[in-house]
Amino acid sequence: MAVADRHRSDGKMWKLFPFWQSGAATSIHQNGVAGSAASRSTASVSSVARSFLPARRRLRLDPSNNLYFPYEPGKQVRSAVRIKNTSKSHVAFKFQTTAPKSCYMRPPGGILEPGESIIATVFKFVEQPENNEKSMDQKSKVKFKIMSLKVKEGSDYVPEMFDEQKDQATVERILRVVFLDAEHTSPAMEKLKRQLAEADAAVEARKKPPVDTGPKVVGEGLVIDEWKERREKYLAKQQVEAVDSS
C-alpha cells in the first residue's frame, strides 16, 4: 500500500513537474534568450497597438464637425471655421473638398505659429432642389477635409509639401455640410454671422497699409524726428560746401 501510495505521489509529481520546469526556465532565462524574445514580442505588439491609435491632433476647429451654410438655393453662400494651432510647433494646414468646381476656401492653406488662430471662409454654390421644393433636410454629399503637417519655423507654405511629406501629414477633420434656415434666427446662424464678420474684418485689415505710429523711440526715451534729422544733415552739407568754395 505504501508503494502504491508512493507511485501515486510520484505520478502526481511528474504531472506537475513540466509546468514547474517551464516556469523555472522562464524565470532563469528572463534576462537571456527567453527575455529577449519576450521583449521583441512586446515591442511588436506595442507597435501594432500604436498603429491603431488615432493621430494626435495639432489643430482645434470651431465648429468641430460641420460647416454651416445658409440655405439659399441658386446662390453662392458662405461658411466659416476657426482654426487654431494647439501644438508647440509650427503647423501647415490645407483644405480639400470633394467638389472643387462649386466650392473654394479662403485661404486654402497656410502656416500657423503655436497658439495662432485664423478664421477661414468657405464658399459654396447651393444647388436648386428637385421639383423646386425647399428642402432644409436635403443631404449634401460634399465634404471638406482639413489636413495638418508639422513644419519648421520660417518655412514657406506651398501645397506640394503635403504630397512630399504625406507620411507625416494628418487628417484633422472631415467636415459635413449642414444647411441653416436663412430666414430664421438660431444660435448657429448668429455664430456664423459673427465669424464671417470677423473673417471679413481680418481681410480688410490685411489690405490696409501699416499704420504710422509716429516718431521712433530709440534707447532711453530719445525721440528721433526723421524730417528734422534729414534737414540738419542737409544744412550741415551746405555749410561744408560753402567753406570749400570760399
Side-chain angles (χ1 to χ4, degrees):
M1 289 296 293
V3 173
D5 291 340
R6 184 168 59 251
H7 280 307
R8 285 197 297 269
S9 299
D10 291 343
K12 291 179 180 178
M13 183 169 21
W14 283 108
K15 288 180 181 179
L16 295 173
F17 183 79
F19 297 97
W20 169 87
Q21 184 181 38
S22 175
T26 303
S27 176
I28 293 172
H29 298 290
Q30 63 182 353
N31 294 323
V33 176
S36 299
S39 299
R40 289 195 299 269
S41 176
T42 302
S44 177
V45 171
S46 299
S47 177
V48 172
R50 283 195 301 270
S51 67
F52 287 98
L53 294 175
R56 182 177 180 180
R57 300 190 188 280
R58 306 181 180 105
L59 304 176
R60 184 170 66 225
L61 307 183
D62 182 24
S64 59
N65 297 309
N66 301 314
L67 278 177
Y68 295 97
F69 292 89
Y71 185 68
E72 300 181 40
K75 296 183 179 180
Q76 185 182 72
V77 295
R78 296 190 302 163
S79 184
V81 56
R82 183 184 294 278
I83 307 172
K84 182 176 183 178
N85 179 6
T86 57
S87 74
K88 297 181 180 179
S89 305
H90 284 65
V91 173
F93 70 92
K94 176 184 177 182
F95 270 102
Q96 292 181 330
T97 177
T98 56
K101 293 183 178 180
S102 61
C103 303
Y104 69 94
M105 290 68 69
R106 187 177 67 189
I111 295 178
L112 297 175
E113 299 178 358
E116 183 182 6
S117 66
I118 66 166
I119 293 185
T121 308
V122 186
F123 298 80
K124 174 178 170 51
F125 180 79
V126 181
E127 301 288 346
Q128 290 284 358
E130 296 181 359
N131 301 324
N132 293 324
E133 294 180 358
K134 184 175 180 179
S135 175
M136 288 293 300
D137 298 326
Q138 69 171 340
K139 294 182 179 180
S140 174
K141 297 181 179 180
V142 179
K143 293 183 178 64
F144 297 87
K145 180 167 65 177
I146 298 183
M147 307 284 293
S148 73
L149 178 67
K150 180 180 176 181
V151 297
K152 295 181 180 179
E153 183 177 356
S155 300
D156 294 327
Y157 174 79
V158 288
E160 290 75 18
M161 63 172 53
F162 283 86
D163 297 326
E164 297 169 356
Q165 305 178 53
K166 60 183 179 180
D167 293 338
Q168 285 75 43
T170 300
V171 177
E172 290 286 338
R173 291 286 185 183
I174 295 179
L175 305 175
R176 294 179 174 274
V177 172
V178 175
F179 289 118
L180 301 175
D181 190 343
E183 299 177 358
H184 293 83
T185 302
S186 65
M189 178 62 75
E190 291 301 313
K191 181 177 180 179
L192 174 58
K193 290 179 179 179
R194 290 195 301 268
Q195 287 188 324
L196 288 173
E198 188 175 342
D200 292 340
V203 171
E204 292 300 321
R206 288 194 294 267
K207 293 179 180 179
K208 295 180 180 179
V211 178
D212 185 6
T213 56
K216 296 180 181 178
V217 179
V218 182
E220 297 180 357
L222 177 60
V223 179
I224 299 177
D225 188 324
E226 295 180 353
W227 178 86
K228 182 179 180 181
E229 185 179 18
R230 289 197 299 269
R231 186 171 183 274
E232 290 175 349
K233 288 181 179 180
Y234 174 78
L235 293 176
K237 183 179 179 181
Q238 292 294 324
Q239 291 177 359
V240 172
E241 290 176 355
V243 172
D244 292 340
S245 61
S246 60

